[in-house]
Amino acid sequence: QKWQDNGTDEEGRAWLTGLRPEHPVNVQIDLSSVFDPFLVPHHEGLTTVVHRGGIAELEFPFSYVGDIGGMVFRDLLRNRPMANVGLELVDPIGERVATAVTEFDGYYVFQRVAPGPYKIRIVDSTLPHLDFILPKPQPVVVPKRGDFVQGPEFVLVREGERLDLK
């Protein structure tokens, strides 16, 4: 609270004076002062001990992240969203990075995803029926400076249902 109004300069530095020597001090970032919602700190706070006559230097690295959102439907006309469908976000070597579950309206979101290429796949064990045709994993890319990314729509149909609208 002591340095609440102590902002950073053009180089991102803040000078915190009046520290008691030999006592731990917790320093936290006021996240409301970071205006880009896709720029997030690696640590919200750090603890330091300043020695008499010394200077403590704390670094708070930031990274960009993105959010990926999309829909899952039960019908080809996209009138029936599907709730409680599990999805996985996987990296280029197929390792799971994050999971999501569709809401009541069929919407899914992966939050705070590091920039880069990914694929999104349906988790078949979360489907209410085992006879759904499992769609192929779909590619998506989070840009280097973060952003909201419109993810793919998935349409789940059962064996024997028409797969085209012709």
Side-chain angles (χ1 to χ4, degrees):
Q1 295 294 334
K2 183 175 183 177
W3 304 286
Q4 188 171 337
D5 297 324
N6 223 24
T8 58
D9 62 17
E10 294 84 26
E11 294 178 7
R13 292 190 176 145
W15 299 98
L16 309 178
T17 59
L19 298 174
R20 288 180 54 199
E22 313 302 330
H23 286 84
V25 176
N26 297 317
V27 181
Q28 291 186 308
I29 295 174
D30 177 4
L31 296 177
S32 69
S33 69
V34 180
F35 298 110
D36 186 338
F38 297 110
L39 187 61
V40 297
H42 290 218
H43 313 283
E44 290 184 21
L46 296 172
T47 301
T48 188
V49 175
V50 178
H51 303 286
R52 293 189 187 281
I55 295 177
E57 187 171 316
L58 301 176
E59 293 188 11
F60 290 88
F62 280 73
S63 296
Y64 282 100
V65 295
D67 291 348
I68 304 167
M71 298 284 295
V72 176
F73 294 97
R74 166 64 188 91
D75 67 316
L76 295 168
L77 297 176
R78 293 168 170 77
N79 291 327
R80 295 173 50 203
M82 279 189 74
N84 300 315
V85 175
L87 299 104
E88 293 179 323
L89 184 69
V90 295
D91 64 16
I93 61 171
E95 294 291 322
R96 182 176 59 198
V97 174
T99 60
V101 177
T102 57
E103 297 292 332
F104 72 96
D105 58 358
Y107 187 75
Y108 68 86
V109 64
F110 296 98
Q111 295 179 306
R112 297 178 70 133
V113 178
Y118 299 94
K119 286 190 178 181
I120 299 174
R121 64 185 177 204
I122 300 286
V123 178
D124 59 347
S125 63
T126 65
L127 299 177
H129 302 283
L130 298 178
D131 59 345
F132 280 110
I133 299 170
L134 200 61
K136 292 181 183 178
Q138 297 296 309
V140 65
V141 176
V142 175
K144 289 182 181 180
R145 294 191 55 91
D147 203 347
F148 174 80
V149 177
Q150 182 62 53
E153 287 185 352
F154 290 94
V155 177
L156 297 173
V157 294
R158 288 178 162 172
E159 294 285 342
E161 290 181 332
R162 292 186 56 200
L163 295 178
D164 59 47
L165 296 174
K166 294 180 184 176

